[in-house]
């Protein structure tokens, strides 16, 4: 009886080993097939509309940072600002660009032209220009850099003008016409753009009414960068302290 039992156990063990071996073989075949499938499914380096930024809460999809299809004759590394659609493009080349949502100049303060990045600063101090103080005398004359500063986490200064591409402490203003001519991004987006841009980078600012097809810098003539916007008289909010103002009220 002992010999018969041993034979039965050996037979069962052998059958179990065969089953396990078959299962392992199947798993190896499936894994190889999946790997082959995935290898052919890899996306291209810059697929159109590949979102690479955070959701930013309720930010519309068209204003979220993304790699998009973008035809232009401008060289890679150029910044193109589509004022009318409140978007900024960082040209990558090969028909691609990184799109960022921006806030731009309000009525009477939009401008267009070509500038270059003359200086970069992290957590910049803010010195409101005399023209802005004349319109809004309640503004502070100086505000140190930091989370409460309306220039946000980074700033890139455009030529010798008073215009900047900068962050903001009020991301709700992205996608709106709110500033005195500066271009603002969320702090996350300006930090990303700042890391890609060098001093001397070309910046093309398109007119507010520019056709969408012209936003790629296809040789369209734009107004000289020296053209200054027409100022608007804006009354200060009553009972409001300067240090409590949002970025929207500081421009």
């Amino acid at each position: 009886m002992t010999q018969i039992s041993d034979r039965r156990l050996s037979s069962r063990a052998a059958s179990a080993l065969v089953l396990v071996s078959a299962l392992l073989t199947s798993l190896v075949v499936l894994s190889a097939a999946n790997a082959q499938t995935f290898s052919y499914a890899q996306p291209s380096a810059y697929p159109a509309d590949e979102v690479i930024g955070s959701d930013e809460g309720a930010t519309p999809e068209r204003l979220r940072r993304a790699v998009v299809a973008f035809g232009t004759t401008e060289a890679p590394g150029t910044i193109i600002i589509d004022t009318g659609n409140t978007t900024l493009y960082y040209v990558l080349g090969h028909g691609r660009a990184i799109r960022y949502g921006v806030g731009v100049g309000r009525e009477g303060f939009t401008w267009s032209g070509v500038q270059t990045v003359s200086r970069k600063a992290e957590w910049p101090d803010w010195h409101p220009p005399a023209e802005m103080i004349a319109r809004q005398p309640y503004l502070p004359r100086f505000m140190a850099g930091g989370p409460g500063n309306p220039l946000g986490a980074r700033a890139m200064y455009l030529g010798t003008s008073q215009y900047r591409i900068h962050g903001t402490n009020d991301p709700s203003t992205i996608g709106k016409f709110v500033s005195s001519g500066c271009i603002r991004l969320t702090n996350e987006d300006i930090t990303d753009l700042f890391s890609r841009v060098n001093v001397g980078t070309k910046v093309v600012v398109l007119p507010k009414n520019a056709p969408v097809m012209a936003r790629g810098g296809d040789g369209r003539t734009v107004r000289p960068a020296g053209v200054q916007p027409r100022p608007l008289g804006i009354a200060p909010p009553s009972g409001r302290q300067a240090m409590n103002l949002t970025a929207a009220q500081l421009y």
Side-chain angles (χ1 to χ4, degrees):
M1 281 298 288
T2 301
Q3 291 181 349
I4 293 173
S5 297
D6 289 344
R7 288 174 182 174
R8 286 178 179 174
L9 287 173
S10 298
S11 177
R12 290 175 181 173
S15 298
L17 287 173
V18 170
L19 179 60
V20 170
S21 177
L23 287 172
L24 289 174
T25 301
S26 298
L27 288 173
V28 169
V29 171
L30 285 173
S31 297
N34 287 336
Q36 185 177 17
T37 299
F38 290 147
S39 68
Y40 286 106
Q42 290 297 321
S44 59
Y46 297 111
D49 298 331
E50 177 194 5
V51 176
I52 57 176
S54 66
D55 192 312
E56 289 292 343
T59 303
E61 184 175 353
R62 75 173 191 86
L63 297 175
R64 296 177 197 165
R65 177 164 29 114
V67 175
V68 298
F70 190 77
T72 180
T73 57
E74 295 290 349
T78 302
I79 292 174
I80 300 173
I81 297 167
D82 185 351
T83 304
N85 291 294
T86 61
T87 46
L88 179 154
Y89 295 89
Y90 178 79
V91 179
L92 296 172
H94 304 291
R96 294 288 184 267
I98 301 177
R99 180 197 66 208
Y100 303 83
V102 297
V104 297
R106 61 184 178 272
E107 186 64 32
F109 288 85
T110 58
W111 60 281
S112 62
V114 179
Q115 285 281 6
T116 56
V117 174
S118 56
R119 185 164 71 90
K120 298 171 60 180
E122 299 185 15
W123 294 106
D125 297 334
W126 184 47
H127 300 265
E131 294 85 350
M132 185 179 293
I133 291 175
R135 295 192 304 269
Q136 300 167 282
Y138 56 90
L139 293 178
R141 273 42 178 178
F142 168 80
M143 186 179 290
N149 190 301
L151 296 185
R154 304 287 187 273
M156 292 177 284
Y157 297 77
L158 302 181
T160 58
S161 74
Q162 297 175 351
Y163 300 129
R164 293 156 293 222
I165 300 172
H166 62 80
T168 180
N169 61 8
D170 188 0
S172 69
T173 60
I174 301 303
K176 299 177 182 178
F177 297 84
V178 289
S179 78
S180 292
C182 287
I183 310 300
R184 64 179 66 170
L185 295 79
T186 64
N187 280 336
E188 182 180 0
D189 281 355
I190 191 62
T191 300
D192 179 84
L193 180 63
F194 188 94
S195 68
R196 303 174 188 275
V197 172
N198 298 316
V199 170
T201 290
K202 182 180 180 181
V203 179
V204 179
V205 181
L206 298 174
K208 185 177 180 180
N209 60 351
V212 173
M213 293 303 293
R215 69 187 181 196
D218 58 356
R220 177 184 176 89
T221 301
V222 294
R223 293 201 308 273
V227 174
Q228 296 300 314
R230 176 176 56 84
L232 284 178
I234 300 173
S238 59
R240 190 72 81 148
Q241 295 298 319
M243 294 303 290
N244 294 328
L245 297 174
T246 65
Q249 294 167 311
L250 292 174
Y251 286 88

